[in-house]
Amino acid sequence: RGGGKAGGKAAAKVAAKARRLKIELGRTLFKAGARQEGGALLTSILQQDMEQADALLPYGEACVALGQHDDALKIFLRLVTQRSDDSAVRRLLAASLGSKDGMALLRQQLAFDAKSASALAFLATIARDHSKLSASLELIAEAARLVPDASAYALQRAHTLEVELRYADALEAVREHCD
């Protein structure tokens, strides 16, 4: 009877390893130019379990590469809640936020209200850290507008303006907050 449990664990390990190999094969095929084959493999893996972060990341990468920022943003918003310190997730989320329609897509996914101000500030930091300064400024300005008494948001806005070398605007942002 004990062999049955051991056999089940071994089978589960083999299945997990096979899954990881399929994910890497899909990612490699996609990056090597066999986008249809790689994408199909990643899609088939995701269809088995849509919540597995290991498959969501390469699928999201493919979405960014294909300009499918709506799907990419949904994926990376989900992943950043699970893996907030993951540099790849943050980089790809920033790319999605910084896309031409990134902010409009975000408004479809996230209510811009006082309850979401801290999330907007967090996303602004991610965008700024990956040189998506326009998106960062829009996000932190929105957070500051939603919670006008939050000094941290005013300061973050001023720092982002400083990164853009807009010193007069940075001082004005601080002045507006203090008034």
Side-chain angles (χ1 to χ4, degrees):
R1 292 184 183 204
K5 286 184 181 179
K9 286 182 182 180
K13 283 184 178 182
V14 169
K17 192 171 205 171
R19 177 186 165 82
R20 284 191 302 275
L21 289 171
K22 285 181 182 178
I23 290 167
E24 284 308 310
L25 177 59
R27 175 185 262 162
T28 302
L29 285 169
F30 188 88
K31 287 183 176 181
R35 289 182 162 190
Q36 187 172 0
E37 294 85 354
L41 187 53
L42 291 171
T43 299
S44 72
I45 294 165
L46 271 177
Q47 287 173 341
Q48 296 168 12
D49 186 353
M50 293 294 287
E51 296 303 317
Q52 290 294 323
D54 63 340
L56 281 172
L57 183 61
Y59 188 81
E61 288 174 332
C63 289
V64 169
L66 295 171
Q68 298 171 350
H69 295 289
D70 186 25
D71 291 335
L73 185 61
K74 290 175 189 174
I75 290 167
F76 296 125
L77 287 173
R78 181 183 305 169
L79 285 174
V80 80
T81 63
Q82 300 168 10
R83 299 161 55 173
S84 63
D85 291 332
D86 186 310
S87 61
V89 170
R90 292 171 73 103
R91 176 180 47 79
L92 292 161
L93 175 56
S96 296
L97 291 169
S99 70
K100 185 181 92 175
D101 51 353
M103 298 312 301
L105 294 171
L106 181 62
R107 286 182 183 277
Q108 294 171 9
Q109 298 300 314
L110 182 66
F112 279 44
D113 57 26
K115 291 179 184 177
S116 67
S118 62
L120 295 173
F122 175 67
L123 294 174
T125 299
I126 290 172
R128 184 193 65 216
D129 290 350
H130 292 87
S131 302
K132 304 300 180 189
L133 298 180
S134 294
S136 179
L137 281 171
E138 189 172 340
L139 287 163
I140 197 58
E142 199 59 39
R145 182 187 67 76
L146 293 167
V147 185
D149 294 337
S151 298
Y153 300 157
L155 186 58
Q156 185 174 345
R157 183 172 173 229
H159 284 309
T160 304
L161 288 164
E162 287 175 330
V163 170
E164 282 200 323
L165 307 177
R166 294 171 51 190
Y167 301 115
D169 292 337
L171 284 172
E172 184 59 29
V174 171
R175 190 175 301 120
E176 285 174 6
H177 177 71
C178 292
D179 286 343

